[in-house]
Amino acid sequence: MDLNSASGVVLQVLMQASSQDSAVLKPAEEQLKQWETQPGFYTVLLNIFTNHSLDVNVRWLAVLYFKNGIDRYWRRVAPHALSEEEKATLRAGLITNFNEPVNQIATQIAVLIAKVARLDCPKQWPELIPTLIESVKIQDDLRQHRALLTFYHVTKTLSSKRLAADRKLFQDLASEIYSFTCSLWNHHTDTFLQQICSGGETAAINSLERTLLSLKVLRKLTVHGFLEPHQNADVTGFLLAVFVRLKQFLDCSRNIGAENVCRERLEKIIILFTKVLLDFLDQHPISFIPLIQRSLEFAVSYVFTEAGDGIVFERFIVQCMSLIKMIVKEDSYIPSKNFEDSKPETINAHQIKLSFFTHQTLTEICRRLVTHYFILSDEELAMWEEDPEGFAVEETGGDSWKYSLRPCSEVLFIDIFHEYSETLTPVLLNMVDTIKGPTCVEDLNTLRIKETVYNAVGLAAYELFDCIDFDEWFQSQLLGELQVAHDRYKLLRRRVIWLIGQWISVKFKADLRPLLYEAILSLLQDPDLVVRIETATTLKLTVDDFEFRTEQFLPYLETTFSLLFQLLQQVTECDSKMQVLHVLSCVIERVNMQIRPFVGCLVQYLPLLWKQSEEHNMLRCAILSTLVHLIKGLGGSSENLYPFLLPVIQLSTDVSQPPHVYLLEDGLELWLVTLENCSSVTPELLRIFHNMAALLELSSENLLICFKIINAYIFSSSSEFLQIYAANLCQAFLELLRDITNEGQVQVLKVVENVLKVNPAVGPQMFQALLPPVFRGIIEGEPDQILGNLIEMWVDRMDNITQPERRKLSALALLSLLPSANSIIQDKFCGIINVCVESLHDVMTEDPETSTYKDCMLMSHLEDPQVIEDEEPPTEQDKRKKMLALKDPVHAVSLQQFVYEKLKAQQELLGEEGFRSLMETVDTEIVTQLQEFLKGF
């Protein structure tokens, strides 16, 4: 591309590409795409986005195309890679001036310089870092800021490289520039503090921005730039200075109003200080040991004493709590059970923690967490009133929830209570004693405190197992709390039913379950939606528990299911519907067939919910999961759902449809369950198998369930299925066998085996093409040689077959070669008899009264097995497999009799003398054992 003539043309096309008119935009984008691989194109783009007189939108587009070009064409091995000459020109041009006036474009330029640095620095671009360092010293505000912005992005990108050689290069770089960066940070920090005190707001904002950028650089250098950072004086000096600077900035934030424009940036840099400490602890726990005491003193002081009153903000408290939690949980600070085996640094860290976390400190932390940080704020209570469902969704773990103060305080409480349970258990039990008995509904403050104590007891359930008689507490107090119907008491009704859910798998007598079910029924009719949703969650935990007894729950099943269904209809949030659907699924799964009389309303509602959830794939996943359990519960009668069910399976398993990304796993399970529970395969269900070819091509983690689905079709509808799909299936298997694991090959062979079992007349011809790749190396050579090799290998590998059924089948197969006059078979006679005797030992059981043997694998008739409680009843497929098993030679043919008949036939073929000679090739001990098994014939 000729630069002189091309600049104007490219500029014109970029202007067209920034148009809102699609008729102008599309051709321009096509043209730019064609130029991407033209030599000189990126030089033209550089000249355009560095020309500040041009339109901002055009320059923005130019820089984006340049950045994308780096990803595609900068590497030497890339197709249409840029020439080394053009790359050298571009590198030089990118760092000529740091004077971009538009912030967004400046950020994009900094990012693309960092992208080039990741590939070329320092070997092909040794001048980058020195140029940046010189540029951040310039007194010009704009140039200094842009250079510092670029310095940060370059450092961030280089620190993210993980190969050993790259990490060594970054460590060398860090050693060279760390001292300078510390000085730069200190300079900008001091400048800001002076300016904010003297009232120079605009200048202070500029200095604060430079402080933030230089601190971001230091964070990357400190965390990723040193193998043993505690041995570097500059690093330890910086980390100690972090605490000093943090206090200065916190004091500064106290002195400026919330409306001050500096406030937001000030809080941002305070959070960045805490990130430095958290990252350093995460990456270098041993190097952090000298900072443990200082960190704990600092964090606990601001979060759990009056020192933080009026200056700390929520995000800062969350960060401090995370710092305490990480120190408490860090494995490197926890000694071995055998204390003497611990490393010296571990013992040192442990002793620092031990001396800091005194009884008084732990007590204050525990009390303040429970009565201050656990407490529902006025804003949360207002949200409960105004948007109860939104409140319930947040409480169950919305994205914003897990980073907010209360859940973080709960996590810290759990970790500290676990680590120091001996100290904190009496503290919490004392708090429990203070809230015994009823509470006046007018005393909102006491209600809120009581709610927080119940919360703490639920969070510490596993630690309090031996300290609280929960069964007695449930009967004497908690049940009574649930029965107080006043609107204000909903705070406790919700928390108490949650508390029971936390203890249900820890300590809850089975005999008390009916009382709980009655309470749940009452609360599912509570006027408050939040209480009803929390109750549904506790119900799920209850029926999920291993001590759940179906017969105890059955008297409450109809009403419970009806109330859950009403709740499903009442909630409108996608997350709420998913939550209630999971509860319904769990109930259906546990009671299984007992659910059949009560599901009519749900069956009618699910098609409507599916239609309404078209834009909510995660809700559709929950519907699919519910359908899986519903089909299992309905069994054969699930065929009434086919008009809705089959299109759902079709969509969920069609890889050409975008939703399959979310729905495929659950859709495949639903497909399999539907097949397993159908009495016969309908034409519509058969048609869905068209989706299978594309699924097999994916060769993904879903391959195993795909094989199960194929086998289910074979068991359900072998003739029609094979007639339509056998050729395509065989071709798909041939493709798979070229690139599949041994386990995958076994699955293919199982399909072939099932076809042979179900349709022995048609199967061999249909899958004949599969035999060469499967038996490659065995079926090469003359027929007699092949036969001899096959028998020899079979006999030699017999010990690799561990299942008695398979061993018996092998014996039957080898015996089927007899009687024979073939010399190859007679040469292998000894091996065949050895296999038969081994199998007889596997399958024959002796009747002690008659001293005769019988084959324990014989099945004479179909028995309907008794369904044990909590055991899933047999599916339609289980019944089909049982019927097929009756025809299986393993279960239909007596190995003892088959051996006798085959040896008798061989004797008749060879005559007495010939047969005696053949038997002499067998070990006498084996012959003796054989005679013992054949006694009575």
Side-chain angles (χ1 to χ4, degrees), residues 79-90:
H80 309 292
L82 276 71
S83 67
E84 293 302 316
E85 295 76 13
E86 185 173 4
K87 287 198 289 187
T89 303
L90 295 172

Side-chain angles (χ1 to χ4, degrees), residues 178 229-242 280 287 290-291:
Y178 196 85
H230 60 284
Q231 295 184 358
N232 185 293
D234 287 332
V235 174
T236 54
F238 163 68
L239 289 168
L240 290 171
V242 163
F280 190 74
S287 295
L291 302 172

